[in-house]
Amino acid sequence: MNIPKSNFSDWYNEVIYSAGIVDIRYPVKGMPIYTSWGFGAIRKSFAILEELLEQTGHGQMLFPLLVPEDLFGAEGEHIKGFGGEVLWVTQGGNETLERKLAVRPTSETIMYPMFAQWIRAHTDFPLKVHQTVTIYRHETKATKPLVRGREVYWNEAHSAFRNEKEAEESIREGLQIYSEFYATLALPFTALVRPDYDKFPGAKYSIAFDILMPDGKVLQAATIHNLADNFAKVYSIQYDDEKGEKHYAHQTTFGLSMRCLAAAIGVHGDDKGLILPPAISPIQAIIIPIPGKEEKESAAVDAKAKEVKAKLEGAGIRVHLDCSEKRPGEKYYHWEMKGVPLRIEIGPRDIANKKVMLALRTGGKKPIDESKLVEATRDAFAEILKTLEEKAKKELEGKISKAKSMDDLKKGTGIFTAGWCENQKCADEVKTETGGVEVRGFLFDKKKEKAKCVKCGKDGTLAYWAKAY
Amino acid sequence: MNIPKSNFSDWYNEVIYSAGIVDIRYPVKGMPIYTSWGFGAIRKSFAILEELLEQTGHGQMLFPLLVPEDLFGAEGEHIKGFGGEVLWVTQGGNETLERKLAVRPTSETIMYPMFAQWIRAHTDFPLKVHQTVTIYRHETKATKPLVRGREVYWNEAHSAFRNEKEAEESIREGLQIYSEFYATLALPFTALVRPDYDKFPGAKYSIAFDILMPDGKVLQAATIHNLADNFAKVYSIQYDDEKGEKHYAHQTTFGLSMRCLAAAIGVHGDDKGLILPPAISPIQAIIIPIPGKEEKESAAVDAKAKEVKAKLEGAGIRVHLDCSEKRPGEKYYHWEMKGVPLRIEIGPRDIANKKVMLALRTGGKKPIDESKLVEATRDAFAEILKTLEEKAKKELEGKISKAKSMDDLKKGTGIFTAGWCENQKCADEVKTETGGVEVRGFLFDKKKEKAKCVKCGKDGTLAYWAKAY
């Protein structure tokens, strides 16, 4: 790494390319290749998320990519919200299609006509599904790999319930799932109810997870929407209750994208490169044999390295032995840059002492007894996670400040709390005057605190503000 | 199930819907919903395949869905082969795109321009990648869920090598991977080199796995292609050897789709419904508590059922306890239809005897000691796999016959061996006259046997023939 992390934007672009996260040279704007190190970390992350969804009763399905125009347009606000960003398939072979097909920007309009078929009676609830797919948005803004692009790898959960109360419980379940998910990535967040003008098109309200990046901007890294019965009315998702009376279903939807990796890279990385949380690193421990002065010594080291590898693999740890021709120092540099959380060094002296050396990517080296290898490795992972988490929490806390005036908003960086009259006009003016500081919303489920609007001075509510990606 | 398997086509349509494999009511032809039981089985299957690919050094990546027309059209034969079937994105929001974008029917033209960037020197080999994605074909033929559709879930592996020899080794590796994969699904196959006119557009030769379905037609269930340096020349995938001389890379590609599940459903199912091989069944063992006459007995059964569930889960077995209100017989029927390979019954008498009852979906019931639960469950899975495999092999062998004349081809069913002059005209005439029997190819890597052409009587080679999906 030639670029220090203090130069965050350039550092990010360098590290995602050097570490093999993405390659942006594919000739369609905003459609990078997710190369194997990056896609491996994304898949590990998503496997954690998918497991959390399965445990809470969401069944994994796969719905089509393409939506006929009439289905897509049925929910008026929804199409208004996405209309300008939709890619359309209009041609099949050399023929023009009779109905053009939207390439999904999200799957409400694909799934809900099916929900209407599946839901008949009150016994059909809850209906909880999820899928991991790519979605498409014809972005006109500048793209940034993993952050903003035209092809987004994500997981979306969609559920339907009998009534408002059950939908509200689902919202809390979603918050819990995403909180557990981000805990395994050691990423603190703010979960905020977005202002009405910024909610998901067609939703009653939207909650979004914001993660603070090192440049002081926040990254929206997951969303949870209460759709009430808005879509149910459009797509006729109705059921008979115990008395035979008809009601509309209440729905929720959650989404989380490959941005989770952008956040992990941004928050945890350092001047040497990435630091991946153990749960999502494609390789959790890299073994580096340190050759001896004599061939015999080196042979013993190699044999021991293989033994250590087998032992860790047997314990379900993702481990790799680097027996390339490079010098140990070069190997250190390479795997540090890629963010492997733990390095295990084995040299002739270690063998003599029945020890191996653990070097944590978050800092610190310690010799451990070979007999305690698996246990010590697991402890090291826990320590790394804790170190990352504490550091990230401290950074976040240090960058949340109270802004009492427009000047505070203009001069500070990070996340601000400041009063807002809940009028979009004021929010827009603040954004223009501060060069981007915008209302991110209110804490969910907390009593709202009164505060004078930072722009107009009228009565208002304490809100969260930040520049955002 | 109301339809016997002897009426295969109707049975298939009923079982895939009733068991929750797919729902075909989505209003775009050939684009079904993969519902959670079906998609679960597909994901389990693909996880096995992905693991086999990773073990042989193929890195998982994710490449874009959309291909600019100029890239897609660069390999002339390739576009000719796919041209009529490609879906095109022409519109973004309300604008017409400057270049239209093909929705991938397969990813050679997407990946290989990147391969050209990644490969510079002989040290960059082997390059082995794979991805699991959906591909699109604007099918004009009748669609059939999991068999032929417009949206196909598949895994494709693409690799590049120094020379022909290494590419040939990769072909053998592919054969090995797919053979191991189909062994875990207990599905026997023929691996055949397709006739030249039927090879993958742009390939040197293609090998395809055919699986015999109960109606006597074969299903192409995986393909392996040697691309030689055909694509390398078009996309400039070149490298410098040790002497600094430039060469084109040699390439191979493998593909396997959700058809693997269609084959497992077709080959293994019976009049009661599906029989899923244990490795791919979302639930491997279903526990059914048998209530006693008194409440106390039933409570003891429920407690024991939970204990058994926890024990099996702890051993990594996918198990579910059905404690719904339905009668045991109804539960049997339900889970048999869904193809769960093993049922575990627990009643008051079993508790008294410290036993549980194992009922294998392939037939047979046996009481086992509770203390041997995990071991006996694993043994039962192995027995089920073996039973499925033996039955499928016997069926396949019984349906391969030697055809000496056009009459044999017309009257028989299944797979035939018969001579062919290797002239497409004869193959086409046979297909027309027999109502669909076509040349499937030659055994790979086996000495070709001479035989007179079944159509024209001229000198030829013994080939495999069958009707195909």
Side-chain angles (χ1 to χ4, degrees), chain A residues 335-372:
Chain A
W335 295 108
E336 275 175 352
M337 188 267 290
K338 289 182 92 92
V340 171
L342 188 68
R343 181 172 75 230
I344 302 178
E345 304 165 13
I346 304 173
R349 202 164 35 177
D350 300 312
I351 293 180
N353 298 336
K354 293 192 191 290
K355 302 255 180 200
V356 300
M357 185 66 83
L358 299 190
L360 282 60
R361 181 64 181 80
T362 44
K365 264 195 177 194
K366 46 187 157 197
I368 57 128
D369 283 353
E370 223 200 284
S371 61
K372 289 179 187 148

Side-chain angles (χ1 to χ4, degrees), chain B residues 150-389:
Chain B
R150 289 186 171 174
E151 180 170 50
V152 173
Y153 189 77
W154 88 338
N155 176 283
E156 52 185 319
H158 295 261
S159 302
F161 305 94
R162 287 172 65 109
N163 52 38
E164 209 178 328
K165 182 172 163 283
E166 289 176 11
E168 282 296 328
E169 283 162 13
S170 161
I171 294 291
R172 279 173 178 72
E173 189 170 77
L175 282 163
Q176 182 62 28
I177 289 167
Y178 286 166
S179 298
E180 281 186 45
F181 172 77
Y182 275 118
T184 65
L185 270 59
L187 290 171
F189 55 82
T190 53
L192 301 171
V193 182
R194 288 277 186 262
D196 229 46
Y197 62 80
D198 196 22
K199 70 186 181 187
F200 181 72
K204 183 180 166 195
Y205 65 83
S206 296
I207 302 170
F209 283 58
D210 279 345
I211 291 177
L212 181 69
M213 297 288 269
D215 58 0
K217 283 159 80 175
V218 294
L219 181 67
Q220 175 173 306
T223 47
I224 292 176
H225 311 290
N226 188 330
L227 306 180
D229 54 4
N230 297 344
F231 282 82
K233 282 177 180 161
V234 174
Y235 293 100
S236 295
I237 310 175
Q238 276 185 302
Y239 69 95
D240 293 325
D241 69 12
E242 290 86 341
K243 296 173 203 151
E245 282 170 20
K246 286 216 178 307
H247 302 272
Y248 286 110
H250 279 249
Q251 294 174 267
T252 63
T253 172
F254 324 146
L256 186 149
S257 79
M258 82 295 179
R259 277 188 169 186
C260 63
L261 183 59
I265 291 171
V267 173
H268 299 316
D270 65 12
D271 287 350
K272 292 178 184 171
L274 300 186
I275 304 181
L276 291 175
I280 70 166
S281 191
I283 295 173
Q284 297 175 300
I286 180 77
I287 304 172
I288 313 280
I290 317 287
K293 282 174 195 151
E294 290 169 36
E295 235 176 74
K296 211 175 112 189
E297 282 179 332
S298 300
V301 165
D302 287 347
K304 180 58 71 186
K306 278 180 195 154
E307 196 188 312
V308 165
K309 178 172 183 260
K311 213 180 272 179
L312 291 174
E313 266 174 353
I317 291 162
R318 296 189 295 274
V319 58
H320 178 69
L321 168 59
D322 186 348
C323 33
S324 65
E325 293 296 306
K326 289 185 281 186
R327 283 172 295 110
E330 271 184 276
K331 294 181 185 179
Y332 293 180
Y333 177 85
H334 175 76
W335 295 108
E336 276 176 350
M337 188 267 291
K338 288 184 91 92
V340 171
L342 188 68
R343 181 173 75 230
I344 301 177
E345 304 165 13
I346 305 173
R349 203 167 31 180
D350 300 313
I351 292 181
N353 299 334
K354 292 192 191 290
K355 302 255 179 200
V356 300
M357 185 67 83
L358 299 190
L360 281 61
R361 181 64 180 82
T362 44
K365 263 193 177 196
K366 47 186 156 196
I368 57 129
D369 282 354
E370 223 199 285
S371 61
K372 288 179 187 148
L373 177 70
V374 171
E375 201 186 330
T377 300
R378 290 218 176 100
D379 288 347
F381 292 158
E383 188 181 332
I384 290 159
L385 188 70
K386 202 168 159 230
T387 306
L388 291 176
E389 195 187 18

Side-chain angles (χ1 to χ4, degrees), chain A residues 23 25-27 34 36 60-62 64-66 86-91 93 99-100 117-118 136 151, chain B residues 23 25-27 34 36 60-62 64-66 84 86-91 93 99-100 117-118 136 151:
Chain A
D23 191 322
R25 291 175 292 176
Y26 185 71
Y34 299 87
S36 46
Q60 191 167 12
M61 296 196 181
L62 185 67
L65 169 77
L66 301 173
V86 174
L87 289 169
W88 293 95
V89 173
T90 64
Q91 222 182 304
R99 317 180 281 183
K100 62 181 184 176
Q117 312 251 20
W118 298 337
Y136 296 83
E151 180 170 51
Chain B
D23 190 322
R25 290 175 292 178
Y26 186 71
Y34 299 87
S36 45
Q60 191 167 12
M61 296 197 181
L62 185 67
L65 169 77
L66 301 172
V86 174
L87 288 168
W88 293 96
V89 173
T90 64
Q91 222 182 305
R99 315 182 280 182
K100 61 182 185 175
Q117 312 252 21
W118 297 339
Y136 296 83
E151 180 170 50

Side-chain angles (χ1 to χ4, degrees), chain A residues 195-198 406 409-410 419-440 453-456 464-467:
Chain A
D196 228 45
Y197 63 80
D198 196 22
M406 286 294 291
L409 287 182
K410 282 179 202 164
W420 178 45
C421 61
E422 301 197 36
N423 190 325
Q424 188 178 350
K425 194 168 160 280
C426 273
D428 287 346
E429 284 173 16
V430 170
K431 189 169 176 180
T432 308
E433 289 174 31
T434 57
V437 176
E438 58 187 9
V439 176
R440 302 303 285 170
C453 179
V454 70
K455 178 65 197 162
C456 69
Y464 281 73
W465 304 70
K467 291 185 187 177

Side-chain angles (χ1 to χ4, degrees), chain B residues 48-102:
Chain B
I48 294 166
L49 176 65
E50 289 164 4
E51 181 60 30
L52 289 167
L53 287 163
E54 296 284 326
Q55 280 168 5
T56 46
H58 298 79
Q60 191 167 12
M61 296 197 181
L62 185 67
F63 288 80
L65 169 77
L66 301 172
V67 207
E69 191 175 17
D70 51 326
L71 272 194
F72 185 73
E75 214 288 336
E77 275 188 58
H78 194 71
I79 185 129
K80 256 194 278 159
F82 284 104
E85 292 182 357
V86 174
L87 288 168
W88 293 96
V89 173
T90 64
Q91 222 182 305
N94 300 315
E95 302 160 36
T96 301
L97 299 181
E98 276 175 40
R99 315 182 280 182
K100 61 182 185 175
L101 303 166

Side-chain angles (χ1 to χ4, degrees), chain A residues 228-287:
Chain A
D229 54 5
N230 298 344
F231 283 83
K233 282 177 181 161
V234 175
Y235 293 100
S236 294
I237 309 175
Q238 275 185 302
Y239 69 94
D240 294 325
D241 68 12
E242 290 87 340
K243 297 173 202 151
E245 281 170 21
K246 284 217 179 306
H247 301 272
Y248 286 110
H250 279 250
Q251 294 174 267
T252 63
T253 172
F254 323 146
L256 186 150
S257 79
M258 81 294 177
R259 277 188 170 186
C260 63
L261 183 59
I265 291 170
V267 172
H268 300 316
D270 65 12
D271 288 350
K272 292 179 185 172
L274 301 186
I275 304 182
L276 292 175
I280 70 165
S281 191
I283 294 173
Q284 297 175 300
I286 180 76
I287 305 171

Side-chain angles (χ1 to χ4, degrees), chain B residues 367-419:
Chain B
I368 57 129
D369 282 354
E370 223 199 285
S371 61
K372 288 179 187 148
L373 177 70
V374 171
E375 201 186 330
T377 300
R378 290 218 176 100
D379 288 347
F381 292 158
E383 188 181 332
I384 290 159
L385 188 70
K386 202 168 159 230
T387 306
L388 291 176
E389 195 187 18
E390 280 170 5
K391 185 173 145 280
K393 274 196 179 153
K394 214 172 132 192
E395 272 169 20
L396 176 61
E397 279 157 20
K399 281 194 183 153
I400 301 186
S401 60
K402 201 157 190 164
K404 291 192 176 160
S405 65
M406 286 294 290
D407 271 355
D408 288 352
L409 287 181
K410 282 179 202 164
K411 287 180 192 155
T413 60
I415 300 172
F416 307 96
T417 56

